[in-house]
Amino acid sequence: MATHTVAIIGPQTSTTAHVISHIANELQVPLLSFSATDPTLSSLQFPFFIRTAFSDIYQMTAIADLVNYYEWREVIAVYGDDDHGRNGIGALGDKLAERRCKISFKAPMSPEATREEITDVLVQVALAESRVIVIHTSTAWGPKVLAVAKSLGMMENGYVWIATNFLSTRLDIDSPLSSDVMDEIQGVITLRMYIPDSKHKREFASSRWKGLTSGKTANGSLGLSTYGIFAYDTVYLLARALDTFFKQGNQITFSSDSKLSQLRGDNMHLDAVKIFNEGKLLLKSIYAVNMTGVSGPFMYTSDGNLVNPAYEIINVIGTGTRRIGYWSNYSGLSLVPPETLYSKPPNRSSAGQKLLTVIWPGETAKKPRGWVFPNNGRVLKIGVPKRVSYPDFVSQVQGTDMFKGFCIDVFLSAVNLLPYAVPYKFIPYGDGHSNPSNTELVRLITAGVFDAAVGDITITTERSKMVDFTQPFIESGLVVVAAVKKTESNAWAFFTPFTPMMWTVTAIFCIIVGAVVWILEHRLNKDFRGPPRKQIITTLWFSLSTMFFAHRENTVSTLGRFVLLIWLFVVLIINSSYTASLTSILTVQQLSSPIKGIGSLINSKEPIGYLQGSFTRNYLIGEIGIDESRLVPLKTPEESTKALEKGPRKGGIAAYVDERAYIELFLSSRCGFTVVGQEFTRNGWGFAFPRDSPLAVDMSTAILELAENGDLQRIHDKWLLSIACLSQGAKLEVDRLNLRSFWGLYLVCGLACLLALLVYLIQTLRQYNKHCPTEPECSGSSHFRTFLSFVDEKEDIAKSRSKRRQMEMISYRSTSEVGSSISNAEYYQSSMNRIDCTNEV
């Protein structure tokens, strides 16, 4: 550094780079490294450090995406205990947390660890729960760890090993490896910095690289790794930057560092080290380079990283490797090279993430589960609520630490279906004198007191934020229970089937249909003619008699029959519905209650009971808005029964709110109560496990299998099936038929009437114009009266009069032709008089 240095290429390790970066910052000398990939070597802390390869932050992101792709939730990190290892694993933890995954166990090792020390660490790893192991070490030390893992049986079926790019570098440099070494890494997944294939790259690998490395190594030829390509591009990057630096007219000058000048006389001669005055200008030129190197497009982003970071994902198989896909910071996991995706919109959806099949350790293509129960003698501590109510669901066997009940049987049956053994121990929670809070039980899981909770635990939003629940094994929403009394029948029960609106509309349509039929039949049917009083009585009688299909009047017109047919169909439906409803009212026991559901409870001020320890209290206060002073905690079904029987006026409660699963058991032996209103929540019961616990997923699968094979129903029938009260089949209130169920029928009938009247009006107008031509001098009112008279006439009389008028006109024309002495006007008037006389007769 005392020889007027303007740039540094190296060092190779991140640990050394941390030290040298401080010197580079002080002397303003750009430090370029193609192998120091520590993500903490950032341009903010070390502005003169320039990374000419991909940062490990991208490699750890790729591993996190890989773990998430295979739906694992926990990994174990094995790494070298230095800056490179610690900072890389720290970045991995952050990226896993973004995907709701985590590092469950960290196993740091000294880079100079002996085989015995490595063995001790890996034994602890083997005793842990997770079987997904991420190893992040150096090229020289990492293979030793894999060799020890092979000897410990940790390369067998069930394990997952993900190695960072140290392994791919070893495979590239020392290829081909011996068969013994390859056996030690079978099934391992490793990453390699992706360099697009190009003519420049192929020419460099086949000629230039061999010329650079021939005779330089004792072990023969040196394989080309990605670090070698980035090292080559690093030199050209600096050369281009210096060329631009000089073309801009810059000079290279140095000045003394006042801090170092004070150290004159030191053996290190630090006073001779100078500051590069134009270091910032050269740094700017380096970041401004935009070239195509052997590694592909080579340029920097605004945060000091290379553009388009990408990795190949490699699976070690047999004597070689197989690429199973790619990862890029642009589109995640893919089967096609990343450069083909840069021209398309990024696809980060789960469906867009794809990889080829992997051959895992143990030579299996089946994806490992990724975890086992830790083989360290530890058993699951399962908290079970020690309730004083409803022992059929869960209760402790007297004098033992065993539990029984519906929930316990479901749990045991589900555990028996798991493909592995689950060591567990039930631990009672509660004092046995009052119902414990299930919410507090769930919270103790997050505190580490319990590993799981089994019992009648309702899945709620608040609890789901603390733990993971299994698939619900029983549906149970909140319902309202109230005392009911039998309703006696009365003398006016026959009015009950229809609502007042239904009765009104039916009566109106009955009169309308009668009037329409009278209009359609009046000119043709003698049954609908006569004095006005008779016609009104006939119309009303006809309308009412059709309700019972007892009408005697015949319909002769086509339109009348059409309307009557539609109306009789409507009457048939109405009569059938009325008969069925009235039968139900008179034969089925009717119950009544002043409480109609949760709505009437909200509007009242009466006390409400709930089961102590359940989530009902918080729900009624927080979600429904019921005042806390109205809520009465009840411990047992017997207390609930007494409170309901007393009623609010005698110090009891107006209604009892609880979950349907409890209520079904409660009502099976209490006939004086029933459920009123609808179920106003949709909940279920599940078993609780810590967040992201893989056991919760497997238990959910087992519960679904129990439901499909019928075992869940058999367990339900064993504990909860009982004989219900006879009153449970009674109706709480009369189901009256309303207009909403019949408006379609009335609509069809009304449209039929309108259509028939319209056709009848058109036909009548045509007949009127044909048989009754009007006089030109008649006024509009005279025309209307004449038309009404025509409509009131019987159709046969109108036709007869029209025919006679035609005969008179023919006779008039004949008389005129023979020269009659009577004038035309007189003859016409005489003819009209005769017609009028005929009409009067």
Side-chain angles (χ1 to χ4, degrees):
M1 297 299 295
T3 58
H4 292 175
T5 301
V6 297
I8 307 170
I9 296 180
Q12 287 184 286
T13 64
S14 297
T15 303
T16 308
H18 273 280
V19 178
I20 305 300
S21 294
H22 288 285
I23 300 175
N25 285 352
E26 183 67 24
L27 302 180
Q28 299 185 13
V29 175
L31 171 63
L32 295 83
S33 177
F34 54 85
S35 57
T37 54
D38 183 349
T40 63
L41 288 168
S42 65
S43 58
L44 294 177
Q45 183 180 6
F46 304 106
F48 284 88
F49 175 81
I50 304 171
R51 185 183 290 109
T52 56
F54 298 144
S55 169
D56 274 346
I57 191 68
Y58 299 113
Q59 181 172 211
M60 298 308 169
T61 304
I63 294 176
D65 280 344
L66 196 63
V67 171
N68 187 57
Y69 173 77
Y70 287 109
E71 298 179 342
W72 298 315
R73 287 292 171 261
E74 296 182 0
V75 303
I76 295 175
V78 178
Y79 58 96
D81 193 13
D82 54 16
D83 289 341
H84 176 249
R86 287 190 299 269
N87 296 332
I89 294 302
L92 175 62
D94 293 339
K95 294 302 178 180
L96 287 172
E98 293 175 3
R99 293 154 180 80
R100 289 192 63 183
C101 305
K102 66 178 181 179
I103 299 176
S104 60
F105 182 72
K106 292 183 178 181
M109 300 182 191
S110 170
E112 292 80 24
T114 63
R115 186 178 180 88
E116 289 74 18
E117 293 172 337
I118 295 175
T119 300
D120 293 340
V121 173
L122 291 184
V123 167
Q124 297 180 22
V125 171
L127 295 176
E129 178 178 327
S130 177
R131 283 293 181 262
V132 182
I133 304 171
V134 177
I135 177 170
H136 179 52
T137 66
S138 64
T139 305
W141 178 66
K144 297 180 183 178
V145 178
L146 296 174
V148 175
K150 174 69 174 179
S151 66
L152 294 176
M154 298 175 67
M155 286 290 177
E156 302 300 328
N157 190 9
Y159 280 91
V160 177
W161 285 85
I162 302 175
T164 53
N165 60 350
F166 79 87
L167 184 58
S168 63
T169 302
R170 170 77 184 279
L171 293 170
D172 291 337
I173 293 176
D174 296 338
S175 182
L177 297 175
S178 65
S179 58
D180 293 338
V181 175
M182 292 300 295
D183 287 341
E184 295 170 351
I185 57 176
Q186 288 296 303
V188 176
I189 293 178
T190 184
L191 280 74
R192 176 195 289 141
M193 286 185 284
Y194 175 67
I195 296 176
D197 189 29
S198 64
K199 181 180 179 181
H200 194 185
K201 175 184 174 183
R202 291 191 296 269
E203 291 176 350
F204 174 79
S206 61
S207 59
R208 185 66 173 152
W209 179 254
K210 291 183 178 180
L212 289 172
T213 59
S214 60
K216 302 294 179 64
T217 60
N219 298 327
S221 61
L222 185 69
L224 176 60
S225 70
T226 55
Y227 286 115
I229 294 176
F230 279 114
Y232 188 83
D233 282 348
T234 300
V235 176
Y236 269 91
L237 169 68
L238 181 57
R240 287 175 178 269
L242 286 170
D243 183 57
T244 303
F245 175 82
F246 289 120
K247 286 181 178 180
Q248 292 174 349
N250 296 313
Q251 300 294 325
I252 296 178
T253 61
F254 296 90
S255 59
S256 299
D257 189 339
S258 58
K259 299 178 183 177
L260 298 178
S261 299
Q262 299 174 2
L263 301 176
R264 189 181 301 274
D266 188 88
N267 292 333
M268 296 182 65
H269 302 287
L270 293 177
D271 58 313
V273 178
K274 306 295 182 181
I275 295 176
F276 179 29
N277 296 328
E278 288 77 20
K280 292 184 178 180
L281 295 175
L282 179 59
L283 181 69
K284 185 178 180 181
S285 298
I286 293 173
Y287 278 125
V289 170
N290 184 359
M291 69 177 191
T292 300
V294 178
S295 60
F298 203 102
M299 59 181 296
Y300 285 92
T301 60
S302 58
D303 60 355
N305 288 306
L306 291 176
V307 297
N308 301 330
Y311 288 85
E312 295 178 79
I313 303 175
I314 299 170
N315 185 202
V316 180
I317 305 174
T319 59
T321 61
R322 172 174 175 255
R323 184 173 56 222
I324 61 172
Y326 302 89
W327 178 92
S328 69
N329 195 44
Y330 182 75
S331 58
L333 302 173
S334 65
L335 296 175
V336 297
E339 65 268 18
T340 62
L341 301 174
Y342 294 144
S343 59
K344 303 176 183 178
N347 183 8
R348 283 282 188 169
S349 64
S350 57
Q353 308 295 296
K354 296 180 181 179
L355 292 174
L356 296 177
T357 303
V358 177
I359 303 300
W360 304 100
E363 298 183 357
T364 177
K366 182 180 179 181
K367 185 195 79 170
R369 189 171 66 245
W371 69 279
V372 295
F373 274 98
N375 189 21
N376 52 12
R378 180 176 176 271
V379 298
L380 287 179
K381 296 180 294 183
I382 299 179
V384 182
K386 192 175 180 181
R387 307 183 63 87
V388 297
S389 61
Y390 302 108
D392 297 290
F393 290 105
V394 58
S395 62
Q396 187 173 11
V397 179
Q398 192 70 26
T400 69
D401 57 355
M402 300 175 61
F403 285 82
K404 64 178 182 178
F406 169 73
C407 300
I408 301 299
D409 279 6
V410 172
F411 175 79
L412 296 178
S413 300
V415 168
N416 291 334
L417 292 177
L418 297 179
Y420 47 85
V422 180
Y424 64 88
K425 180 181 179 181
F426 289 139
I427 299 176
Y429 172 70
D431 57 10
H433 302 292
S434 61
N435 294 321
S437 170
N438 284 338
T439 301
E440 182 63 19
L441 173 60
V442 168
R443 190 195 64 80
L444 292 177
I445 296 177
T446 63
V449 177
F450 297 118
D451 298 314
V454 171
D456 46 352
I457 304 172
T458 306
I459 303 173
T460 64
T461 303
E462 179 186 4
R463 297 170 184 174
S464 297
K465 294 178 180 178
M466 296 187 285
V467 297
D468 281 349
F469 282 96
T470 62
Q471 174 78 15
F473 56 87
I474 188 172
E475 299 296 329
S476 183
L478 291 179
V479 294
V480 179
V481 174
V484 293
K485 61 180 181 179
K486 183 178 179 181
T487 302
E488 301 294 338
S489 183
N490 56 65
W492 305 102
F494 61 88
F495 280 119
T496 309
F498 286 168
T499 61
M501 178 60 71
M502 182 67 182
W503 282 114
T504 302
V505 173
T506 302
I508 292 174
F509 261 85
C510 183
I511 296 174
I512 291 175
V513 170
V516 171
V517 172
W518 176 82
I519 293 173
L520 300 177
E521 295 288 323
H522 179 64
R523 301 186 70 235
L524 301 174
N525 194 338
K526 65 179 180 178
D527 292 337
F528 291 89
R529 298 190 62 82
R533 180 179 178 182
K534 178 186 177 184
Q535 295 185 47
I536 293 174
I537 294 174
T538 301
T539 302
L540 293 176
W541 167 253
F542 177 81
S543 300
L544 294 175
S545 61
T546 55
M547 296 295 298
F548 311 100
F549 303 98
H551 53 286
R552 294 178 300 174
E553 294 77 10
N554 293 324
T555 51
V556 297
S557 68
T558 303
L559 294 176
R561 291 174 177 176
F562 168 72
V563 171
L564 185 60
L565 177 65
I566 299 296
W567 174 243
L568 290 178
F569 176 75
V570 174
V571 169
L572 174 65
I573 301 300
I574 293 175
N575 283 346
S576 301
S577 302
Y578 176 86
T579 302
S581 180
L582 183 60
T583 302
S584 175
I585 292 171
L586 296 178
T587 57
V588 178
Q589 182 181 357
Q590 306 296 322
L591 304 176
S592 65
S593 171
I595 305 298
K596 304 303 180 184
I598 188 64
S600 58
L601 286 179
I602 296 174
N603 297 327
S604 69
K605 300 295 182 181
E606 297 177 338
I608 304 169
Y610 69 94
L611 184 64
Q612 183 189 47
S614 71
F615 79 102
T616 307
R617 176 182 179 276
N618 293 336
Y619 184 85
L620 292 177
I621 296 174
E623 301 296 332
I624 304 299
I626 294 178
D627 189 83
E628 184 178 0
S629 61
R630 295 177 55 196
L631 301 180
V632 180
L634 301 168
K635 295 181 180 180
T636 63
E638 290 73 20
E639 288 187 12
S640 304
T641 302
K642 292 180 180 178
L644 283 170
E645 289 175 345
K646 287 182 179 179
R649 296 183 179 180
K650 297 182 180 180
I653 58 176
Y656 176 62
V657 179
D658 207 345
E659 299 181 67
R660 179 172 287 278
Y662 296 135
I663 295 303
E664 289 177 353
L665 201 61
F666 177 82
L667 295 179
S668 62
S669 58
R670 295 167 176 83
C671 303
F673 315 109
T674 191
V675 174
V676 293
Q678 299 296 321
E679 188 173 333
F680 57 94
T681 65
R682 291 290 185 271
N683 301 101
W685 292 355
F687 305 131
F689 293 90
R691 294 297 297 270
D692 301 321
S693 171
L695 186 57
V697 178
D698 291 348
M699 285 292 289
S700 295
T701 304
I703 291 172
L704 289 174
E705 186 175 347
L706 288 175
E708 291 172 357
N709 60 26
D711 288 344
L712 188 60
Q713 184 62 42
R714 282 188 285 272
I715 297 172
H716 178 277
D717 295 343
K718 170 187 174 182
W719 288 99
L720 307 179
L721 186 63
S722 58
I723 300 175
C725 293
L726 296 177
S727 63
Q728 297 305 310
K731 288 187 176 182
L732 181 60
E733 58 183 14
V734 176
D735 296 327
R736 307 184 73 180
L737 301 175
N738 52 46
L739 183 60
R740 181 174 54 188
S741 304
F742 299 94
W743 72 268
L745 287 173
Y746 286 121
L747 178 63
V748 171
C749 183
L751 292 176
C753 292
L754 290 176
L755 178 62
L757 287 176
L758 180 62
V759 174
Y760 174 76
L761 179 62
I762 295 173
Q763 291 179 347
T764 304
L765 287 173
R766 290 182 59 189
Q767 292 177 4
Y768 175 72
N769 292 332
K770 177 179 179 182
H771 300 297
C772 295
T774 58
E775 298 294 333
E777 64 274 7
C778 291
S779 62
S781 58
S782 300
H783 284 313
F784 184 68
R785 286 195 301 270
T786 305
F787 175 72
L788 291 180
S789 300
F790 177 78
V791 171
D792 187 55
E793 274 186 328
K794 195 172 181 180
E795 187 174 336
D796 294 340
I797 297 176
K799 290 182 178 180
S800 175
R801 183 182 66 238
S802 176
K803 185 176 181 181
R804 184 175 293 107
R805 177 178 293 178
Q806 291 176 2
M807 293 297 295
E808 292 290 343
M809 293 299 295
I810 293 172
S811 174
Y812 171 75
R813 292 192 188 98
S814 299
T815 305
S816 176
E817 289 174 0
V818 297
S820 175
S821 60
I822 302 173
S823 64
N824 292 340
E826 292 176 348
Y827 184 80
Y828 179 77
Q829 184 63 39
S830 176
S831 299
M832 292 302 297
N833 291 336
R834 287 196 300 270
I835 292 173
D836 292 339
C837 292
T838 304
N839 288 340
E840 291 178 1
V841 173

